[in-house]
Amino acid sequence: MPFELSWEPAGVYRRYFGHVTIADRQRSLERICADPRFDELQFTITDYRDAERYDTSREATAEIAALHVGPLMTNPNIVIAAVAVDERIVASIQHFIGLGFITQPYRIFSTVAAARAWMASQPPRLNPRAPHLPR
């Protein structure tokens, strides 16, 4: 799989590399949301800079944006940062943000350091979580 997840105390760093397909993007989201640490997640950083090929379409971006709705209702306390310099990837992320499916803060940066600095400046998000149903 052309992605890796690195869990940190309050968040997750996802790095894409090589040829990233739409299915890979969905799989990485599923892995993050299925992890027991998701409920306490406060930030995500997705680093696209090592993606040599990034499959995208407006329809696929809309579908992936819609797939974020449920998880972000379950944990609305997440702030999201993307690290990208490729114009196609930046345009895809801007389209994702522009669709309005999510209300969480989401910004694009050219470096991980800039993304982390922005995240550190964000006030804690203390939105109530959706009630958990017994399993």
Side-chain angles (χ1 to χ4, degrees):
M1 282 174 278
F3 67 87
E4 63 184 9
L5 303 176
S6 300
W7 289 87
E8 301 178 8
V12 64
Y13 170 81
R14 170 176 42 195
R15 183 178 75 89
Y16 287 124
F17 53 89
H19 177 194
V20 181
T21 68
I22 293 166
D24 295 324
R25 293 165 57 199
Q26 290 175 331
R27 198 169 308 120
S28 72
L29 175 65
E30 290 165 0
R31 289 238 175 119
I32 292 169
C33 296
D35 192 284
R37 295 168 282 194
F38 178 79
D39 287 340
E40 301 306 318
L41 199 63
Q42 296 174 23
F43 72 84
T44 65
I45 297 173
T46 302
D47 189 343
Y48 298 86
R49 294 173 303 164
D50 292 330
E52 296 166 10
R53 185 168 153 206
Y54 184 79
D55 293 348
T56 189
S57 70
R58 293 183 72 74
E59 296 79 16
T61 297
E63 181 178 341
I64 290 172
L67 291 173
H68 281 72
V69 172
L72 291 174
M73 288 183 74
T74 300
N75 181 353
N77 299 315
I78 301 171
V79 294
I80 305 167
V83 180
V85 292
D86 180 292
E87 290 180 16
R88 270 187 70 236
I89 295 172
V90 169
S92 179
I93 297 166
Q94 289 170 332
H95 175 62
F96 177 108
I97 294 168
L99 289 168
F101 281 103
I102 65 170
T103 59
Q104 285 72 12
Y106 191 162
R107 302 287 183 275
I108 305 168
F109 301 91
S110 60
T111 68
V112 172
R116 288 190 185 281
W118 172 74
M119 293 209 163
S121 74
Q122 295 299 298
R125 294 178 56 84
L126 301 174
N127 295 329
R129 288 178 166 72
H132 292 281
L133 299 175
R135 293 180 190 224

